[in-house]
Amino acid sequence: MTKQVPHAKLYKTVSNLSNALNWLLISSTIISLAIIVLNNFNIEANPNISLWLSRILALIAIIFFILEVIQSQTYHRAELQRKNDFMDNSLETKLADANSNEYYTNDDISNGVYKMGVNCFENSFFTKNISSKMLTKQITYTIVIWVVLWSVILTAPNNVFVEVILLALPFSVANDLRKLYRLNKNVEMVFANFKKIFSTTKKSKRESLIIDNVISYEKSISYSSVPLNRKIFDKWNDKLSLEWNKIKKQHKIK
């Protein structure tokens, strides 16, 4: 049977929205640089050009906020489907409208709390690594956006409405970085706890610790509302899958 992931369509929509948001940031940066050049290098041009570019920049910021809300709502729908499928695969419940096939690599393990722990262990491993690789890119984005947009805010023609809109954008980008950083650190802790659970904890005491750690993982994912970068995931999926198989052998998971 071929691989099936019912929630993949929603995640693809989230990915497309993320790409649109990235292009809006790139566009805003280019326009911002144009405004800075016009205002500071005495280039002969219609004096209204800088003002109109500032207004276009404000419009881009408004579109950015709207798409960000839509992305967040779509992401939560995708996460609900993923969570239901995760529970069905782990505990043989019937929460999801459709279930995945060959999405998890632990189908040889009997349903129960132990399998739920292994599945979440795998999830935390991938989330930890992908979010870590996303951090470098997000840090760069945030620095560039802050420097460029603040330069525009300080040099653009005086327009309170435009300045207020532009002021919100760098703070929004910085907040995205904060959420990604917190997600990465929280999931790192979940992953470390799973390593202890499956290596040093007695089998008779595992179930309560597994349930607590699964709740911590799902809470971190829900609170952050940070979708993982699809391109980074696809690029590293094969390598991380091999590493995950090694971790399973090291912890004698079967």
mmCIF file of all heavy atoms in Angstrom, residues 23 26 48-49 59 76 90-91 105 139 213-214:
data_model
loop_
_atom_site.group_PDB
_atom_site.id
_atom_site.type_symbol
_atom_site.label_atom_id
_atom_site.label_comp_id
_atom_site.label_asym_id
_atom_site.label_seq_id
_atom_site.Cartn_x
_atom_site.Cartn_y
_atom_site.Cartn_z
ATOM 1 N N TRP A 23 7.630 35.926 0.577
ATOM 2 C CA TRP A 23 7.736 36.817 -0.574
ATOM 3 C C TRP A 23 7.281 38.231 -0.219
ATOM 4 O O TRP A 23 7.842 39.215 -0.728
ATOM 5 C CB TRP A 23 6.941 36.271 -1.760
ATOM 6 C CG TRP A 23 7.698 35.231 -2.531
ATOM 7 C CD1 TRP A 23 7.448 33.890 -2.593
ATOM 8 C CD2 TRP A 23 8.855 35.454 -3.341
ATOM 9 N NE1 TRP A 23 8.375 33.255 -3.388
ATOM 10 C CE2 TRP A 23 9.244 34.194 -3.864
ATOM 11 C CE3 TRP A 23 9.591 36.587 -3.679
ATOM 12 C CZ2 TRP A 23 10.357 34.051 -4.699
ATOM 13 C CZ3 TRP A 23 10.696 36.435 -4.517
ATOM 14 C CH2 TRP A 23 11.070 35.185 -5.013
ATOM 15 N N ILE A 26 10.201 39.760 1.509
ATOM 16 C CA ILE A 26 11.234 40.128 0.537
ATOM 17 C C ILE A 26 10.827 41.390 -0.213
ATOM 18 O O ILE A 26 11.641 42.310 -0.405
ATOM 19 C CB ILE A 26 11.468 38.962 -0.446
ATOM 20 C CG1 ILE A 26 12.106 37.771 0.282
ATOM 21 C CG2 ILE A 26 12.375 39.405 -1.606
ATOM 22 C CD1 ILE A 26 12.183 36.513 -0.551
ATOM 23 N N ASN A 48 6.696 62.683 -4.371
ATOM 24 C CA ASN A 48 5.597 61.836 -3.911
ATOM 25 C C ASN A 48 5.905 60.340 -4.041
ATOM 26 O O ASN A 48 5.178 59.507 -3.494
ATOM 27 C CB ASN A 48 4.318 62.149 -4.701
ATOM 28 C CG ASN A 48 3.740 63.506 -4.336
ATOM 29 O OD1 ASN A 48 3.835 63.936 -3.190
ATOM 30 N ND2 ASN A 48 3.150 64.184 -5.315
ATOM 31 N N ILE A 49 6.964 60.003 -4.790
ATOM 32 C CA ILE A 49 7.288 58.582 -4.995
ATOM 33 C C ILE A 49 7.571 57.896 -3.671
ATOM 34 O O ILE A 49 7.078 56.796 -3.397
ATOM 35 C CB ILE A 49 8.486 58.433 -5.950
ATOM 36 C CG1 ILE A 49 8.086 58.851 -7.369
ATOM 37 C CG2 ILE A 49 8.999 56.995 -5.939
ATOM 38 C CD1 ILE A 49 9.218 58.749 -8.374
ATOM 39 N N LEU A 59 0.452 48.720 2.832
ATOM 40 C CA LEU A 59 -0.525 47.779 2.285
ATOM 41 C C LEU A 59 0.003 46.350 2.330
ATOM 42 O O LEU A 59 -0.725 45.413 2.686
ATOM 43 C CB LEU A 59 -0.868 48.165 0.840
ATOM 44 C CG LEU A 59 -1.859 47.243 0.110
ATOM 45 C CD1 LEU A 59 -3.208 47.230 0.831
ATOM 46 C CD2 LEU A 59 -2.029 47.686 -1.345
ATOM 47 N N HIS A 76 -3.751 25.203 12.613
ATOM 48 C CA HIS A 76 -4.434 24.555 13.736
ATOM 49 C C HIS A 76 -5.346 23.420 13.252
ATOM 50 O O HIS A 76 -5.454 22.379 13.911
ATOM 51 C CB HIS A 76 -5.244 25.588 14.522
ATOM 52 C CG HIS A 76 -4.413 26.414 15.455
ATOM 53 N ND1 HIS A 76 -3.704 25.868 16.500
ATOM 54 C CD2 HIS A 76 -4.150 27.751 15.476
ATOM 55 C CE1 HIS A 76 -3.052 26.821 17.148
ATOM 56 N NE2 HIS A 76 -3.300 27.965 16.548
ATOM 57 N N SER A 90 -1.557 5.231 17.474
ATOM 58 C CA SER A 90 -0.932 4.789 18.720
ATOM 59 C C SER A 90 -1.841 3.898 19.560
ATOM 60 O O SER A 90 -1.416 2.853 20.065
ATOM 61 C CB SER A 90 -0.517 6.006 19.554
ATOM 62 O OG SER A 90 0.387 6.822 18.851
ATOM 63 N N LEU A 91 -3.093 4.314 19.701
ATOM 64 C CA LEU A 91 -3.998 3.650 20.640
ATOM 65 C C LEU A 91 -5.156 2.920 19.966
ATOM 66 O O LEU A 91 -6.026 2.381 20.650
ATOM 67 C CB LEU A 91 -4.554 4.689 21.623
ATOM 68 C CG LEU A 91 -3.515 5.489 22.428
ATOM 69 C CD1 LEU A 91 -4.206 6.533 23.290
ATOM 70 C CD2 LEU A 91 -2.666 4.557 23.279
ATOM 71 N N THR A 105 6.974 5.061 11.454
ATOM 72 C CA THR A 105 7.832 3.908 11.156
ATOM 73 C C THR A 105 7.736 2.840 12.243
ATOM 74 O O THR A 105 8.617 2.003 12.369
ATOM 75 C CB THR A 105 9.302 4.364 11.026
ATOM 76 O OG1 THR A 105 9.735 4.943 12.273
ATOM 77 C CG2 THR A 105 9.456 5.391 9.917
ATOM 78 N N ILE A 139 16.514 33.972 12.206
ATOM 79 C CA ILE A 139 17.328 35.010 12.845
ATOM 80 C C ILE A 139 17.797 36.023 11.803
ATOM 81 O O ILE A 139 17.735 37.240 12.010
ATOM 82 C CB ILE A 139 18.530 34.387 13.580
ATOM 83 C CG1 ILE A 139 18.048 33.628 14.826
ATOM 84 C CG2 ILE A 139 19.539 35.456 13.980
ATOM 85 C CD1 ILE A 139 19.135 32.812 15.498
ATOM 86 N N ASN A 213 4.912 13.329 28.957
ATOM 87 C CA ASN A 213 5.791 13.891 27.935
ATOM 88 C C ASN A 213 5.050 14.135 26.622
ATOM 89 O O ASN A 213 5.327 15.105 25.915
ATOM 90 C CB ASN A 213 6.983 12.963 27.703
ATOM 91 C CG ASN A 213 8.272 13.729 27.432
ATOM 92 O OD1 ASN A 213 8.482 14.824 27.962
ATOM 93 N ND2 ASN A 213 9.134 13.175 26.609
ATOM 94 N N VAL A 214 4.112 13.253 26.289
ATOM 95 C CA VAL A 214 3.290 13.459 25.091
ATOM 96 C C VAL A 214 2.466 14.733 25.235
ATOM 97 O O VAL A 214 2.354 15.533 24.289
ATOM 98 C CB VAL A 214 2.367 12.247 24.839
ATOM 99 C CG1 VAL A 214 1.320 12.571 23.775
ATOM 100 C CG2 VAL A 214 3.182 11.034 24.413
#
